[in-house]
Amino acid sequence: MKKLIFVTGGVCSSLGKGVTASSIGALMEARGLSVRMMKIDPYLNVDAGTMSPYQHGEVYVTDDGAETDLDLGNYARFTNAPITRANSITTGQVYDEVIRKEREGRYLGRTVQVVPHVTDAIKARVLAVADSPDVDLTIVEIGGTVGDMESIPFLEAARQLIHELGRQNAVSVHVTLVPTVSGGELKTKPTQHSVKELQEVGIQPDALVLRSGEPMDEAIRRKISAFTNIDFEGVISAHDVADTIYEIPLVFHDQGLDVFLLRRMGVESRHADLRAWKDVVRRFREPKRRVRIAVVGKYMELSDSYKSVWEALHHGGIANEAAVDLVRVDSGLLEKEGADLAAVLGDADGILVPGGFGHRGIDGMVAAARYARENGIPYFGICLGMQIMAIEWARNVLGWADANSGEFDRETPHAVVSLLEEQVDVKNYGGTMRLGAGRSALREGTAIRAAYGAAEISERHRHRYEFANAFRPQMEGAGLVIAALTPDGGLVEALEWPAHPWSVGVQFHPEFKSRPVAAHPLFRAFVEAAASRKG
Ligand code: GLN
């Protein structure tokens, strides 16, 4: 029998449901189970692709080109579970499906309702993943907070599945906050209320994950257990961790959460092999050196906008036994009159320009790229960051002051970055970029090829603009290195500067495939270059 774990959240948002679900996934994999991860987002957007990173954080892209919530990135970092379009459900998708079916007359004249039609569509999507062959366990995270109007159909679908499959096959894990009031006392009331709300929709949680600043003592956990009908062993303290969120699987394991859930579901498993996670935490705690990486981008106010980039940089650090100090630079600051680049970037061991959309802050990124190029600082450009390399080269090496991307200047005669051919007639902005996995052939003798140690690779894309082939001869003529192309030679996939310690700009997003236990080769190589610059 396939098993399901539903992860819900209460009291308030941003408690780390995603990390909780991911950590449970990591523990189950460490016990040899084949795990799948799913996220349900109770918003009406069909996907996260059209949402501003300011509001919603990063958009995580899958191999099959889905633009999803950033929690899927957590799943990909903590587990080996394959993540595709099927692993991300939104209210928008479900309603879209139900309404289309209604228009096609497939409900045979019946009144179409939230229960059962919308809930059935949700259940079918969950079971499509959970019932697939070679899956032992599927962990479904229900976004939002219990008590929100938006999550009601999803909680109802979860309730029905728990009822239909039986409580030994589908369990509920609820994440809540235990706040501290002045005087340091921990307050359990919000948790009691939140569990009550979940019980009101017919779900009795099997386990509680309690977020708090400090570890919770036994008395508090016993009290919560007594008030919520949850076995004491299922009441887990998820206190803040000092060094890294990658410690959380170990925090849960030490309290027996994995054993408790498996016993609940009647699953036999091997002992947890957590060596890789312990090694990650050790490397975090005992770095042999430090490197400073300046990330120059535009969505800096919200730290989640580049979530996968931050994480991948830390993975690069773990691989090099180095602590990575991140310096977040708002590129807008670098383009002001009299901006002192040396003051901002002078002590950086490496400079990274990540992806982005829209013209704001572009000149600041160009200035940062120039600073890196002229001062021999390792440079890593991701998507927009590669396009910036092209613009910078055209402006400052070829002397075309008006060089730009067609995205930022429609009129320039030197559009060294231009709209992808397939994008010219696109009118609809949802899900229409060049999205998902694509292959690149890496040129011999380049830094990118050395990093991957392979001639051909596959990475995920999300862009409308590309390096303009019309300018290839002049750009290359002046020394710019075209380091990777699509295998048909049609699109430029990577650029490098000649005679530079380490400079790689890529049109794709390597950050989505980096894991703490297996750093992405480009992040490993970039941090290594930054560390060796430091000496
Ligand atoms: N805005 C650029 C494009 O659409 C870069 C996209 C990105 O960085 N993800 O091509």
Side-chain angles (χ1 to χ4, degrees):
M1 182 72 200
K2 315 265 182 200
K3 306 291 178 180
L4 277 171
I5 299 178
F6 291 101
V7 178
T8 50
V11 181
C12 63
S13 59
S14 305
L15 289 181
K17 277 197 306 291
V19 172
T20 299
S22 304
S23 299
I24 295 172
L27 288 176
M28 296 304 176
E29 279 191 349
R31 291 181 166 274
L33 268 60
S34 162
V35 175
R36 293 294 179 275
M37 305 292 302
M38 288 183 88
K39 174 80 195 277
I40 292 178
D41 278 301
Y43 46 67
L44 277 165
N45 304 59
V46 171
D47 59 40
T50 52
M51 294 166 109
S52 161
Y54 284 121
Q55 283 207 10
H56 198 67
E58 162 190 285
V59 173
Y60 183 82
V61 181
T62 61
D63 266 345
D64 62 346
E67 298 174 280
T68 70
D69 188 83
L70 81 176
D71 271 318
L72 282 93
N74 275 324
Y75 305 162
R77 286 184 279 275
F78 280 83
T79 74
N80 288 304
I83 292 176
T84 68
R85 192 171 291 282
N87 301 79
S88 165
I89 308 180
T90 68
T91 301
Q93 283 167 25
V94 175
Y95 275 79
D96 191 44
E97 174 192 324
V98 171
I99 292 168
R100 264 176 225 245
K101 266 169 85 175
E102 186 276 330
R103 293 290 82 184
E104 288 163 11
R106 290 174 44 205
Y107 291 108
L108 307 175
R110 284 191 293 268
T111 310
V112 181
Q113 293 175 302
V114 174
V115 183
H117 302 102
V118 167
T119 44
D120 279 354
I122 297 167
K123 282 158 64 185
R125 281 173 184 247
V126 170
L127 291 175
V129 172
D131 274 345
S132 41
D134 67 272
V135 176
D136 300 320
L137 168 70
T138 300
I139 300 172
V140 184
E141 176 190 349
I142 302 182
T145 306
V146 169
D148 291 351
M149 202 167 20
E150 286 83 359
S151 8
I152 292 171
F154 295 108
L155 293 172
E156 170 59 13
R159 184 197 65 78
Q160 290 182 21
L161 282 170
I162 294 169
H163 177 69
E164 286 161 20
L165 302 173
R167 288 195 54 189
Q168 72 285 12
N169 295 317
V171 301
S172 155
V173 175
H174 192 51
V175 185
T176 71
L177 177 71
V178 180
T180 316
V181 287
S182 59
E185 200 187 337
L186 287 163
K187 289 294 173 192
T188 64
K189 195 70 90 193
T191 294
Q192 295 178 39
H193 281 299
S194 177
V195 171
K196 248 190 209 117
E197 267 186 310
L198 198 54
Q199 288 165 339
E200 268 165 30
V201 299
I203 298 175
Q204 166 62 46
D206 297 273
L208 265 184
V209 170
L210 305 170
R211 292 284 295 112
S212 65
E214 300 295 320
M216 239 156 292
D217 63 20
E218 189 180 325
I220 292 268
R221 288 165 60 206
R222 289 229 177 261
K223 179 174 168 193
I224 291 174
S225 160
F227 277 116
T228 56
N229 269 341
I230 294 169
D231 290 352
F232 173 68
E233 295 75 39
V235 179
I236 305 295
S237 165
H239 42 271
D240 292 348
V241 286
D243 302 300
T244 163
I245 55 164
Y246 300 125
E247 202 182 324
I248 295 173
L250 303 174
V251 170
F252 287 175
H253 176 73
D254 289 344
Q255 297 177 66
L257 179 60
D258 45 344
V259 175
F260 176 80
L261 291 171
L262 289 169
R263 208 184 310 125
R264 208 75 189 176
M265 298 185 289
V267 175
E268 305 248 341
S269 84
R270 66 163 195 230
H271 273 294
D273 179 357
L274 292 165
R275 278 172 299 181
W277 291 102
K278 287 184 180 151
D279 192 44
V280 164
V281 174
R282 180 193 60 75
R283 283 166 179 253
F284 240 103
R285 286 200 185 131
E286 302 160 12
K288 297 208 165 62
R289 47 193 171 170
R290 305 196 81 84
V291 290
R292 252 177 114 76
I293 304 289
V295 178
V296 183
K298 62 182 271 196
Y299 313 109
M300 287 299 163
E301 297 90 333
L302 182 73
S303 70
D304 274 353
S305 322
Y306 296 116
K307 178 86 180 140
S308 293
V309 173
W310 310 134
E311 294 303 317
L313 282 168
H314 287 305
H315 305 162
I318 293 170
N320 286 286
E321 306 232 24
V324 175
D325 297 322
L326 298 171
V327 187
R328 297 160 198 221
V329 182
D330 180 346
S331 59
L333 297 176
L334 301 180
E335 55 193 32
K336 296 225 164 76
E337 272 279 311
D340 184 352
L341 268 86
V344 182
L345 300 174
D347 61 355
D349 306 309
I351 295 176
L352 187 152
V353 175
F357 296 83
H359 72 278
R360 197 173 58 76
I362 293 300
D363 290 339
M365 296 176 206
V366 171
R370 178 180 198 165
Y371 188 85
R373 184 174 58 78
E374 292 182 344
N375 292 286
I377 302 172
Y379 175 90
F380 192 5
I382 295 179
C383 205
L384 178 63
M386 181 198 97
Q387 299 174 356
I388 293 292
M389 264 174 113
I391 298 168
E392 192 277 324
W393 189 261
R395 285 186 191 172
N396 299 324
V397 178
L398 285 162
W400 302 336
D402 57 359
N404 215 328
S405 161
E407 182 179 1
F408 317 127
D409 180 354
R410 285 184 194 283
E411 310 298 324
T412 177
H414 292 111
V416 293
V417 176
S418 61
L419 206 54
L420 279 158
E421 219 170 289
E422 70 207 33
Q423 293 288 329
V424 176
D425 291 321
V426 167
K427 298 265 174 333
N428 186 344
Y429 285 102
T432 54
M433 281 188 251
R434 178 180 178 222
L435 286 168
R439 302 198 72 77
S440 310
L442 310 182
R443 187 162 144 191
E444 236 170 301
T446 55
I448 189 172
R449 174 111 173 218
Y452 280 98
E456 214 179 284
I457 52 135
S458 170
E459 292 284 359
R460 297 178 198 158
H461 297 74
R462 181 173 188 252
H463 63 120
R464 286 187 209 283
Y465 291 81
E466 55 154 346
F467 183 95
N469 284 328
F471 293 101
R472 235 198 250 183
Q474 283 148 296
M475 299 281 266
E476 272 193 290
L480 187 65
V481 180
I482 310 274
L485 293 165
T486 47
D488 64 1
L491 299 178
V492 170
E493 292 277 273
L495 296 175
E496 294 184 10
W497 292 321
H500 190 89
W502 199 92
S503 59
V504 176
V506 289
Q507 188 53 74
F508 44 77
H509 289 276
E511 70 272 26
F512 294 143
K513 296 220 278 199
S514 189
R515 300 193 59 207
V517 294
H520 187 285
L522 287 175
F523 283 88
R524 183 178 13 82
F526 173 55
V527 172
E528 190 184 338
S532 46
R533 172 184 152 81
K534 197 163 195 185

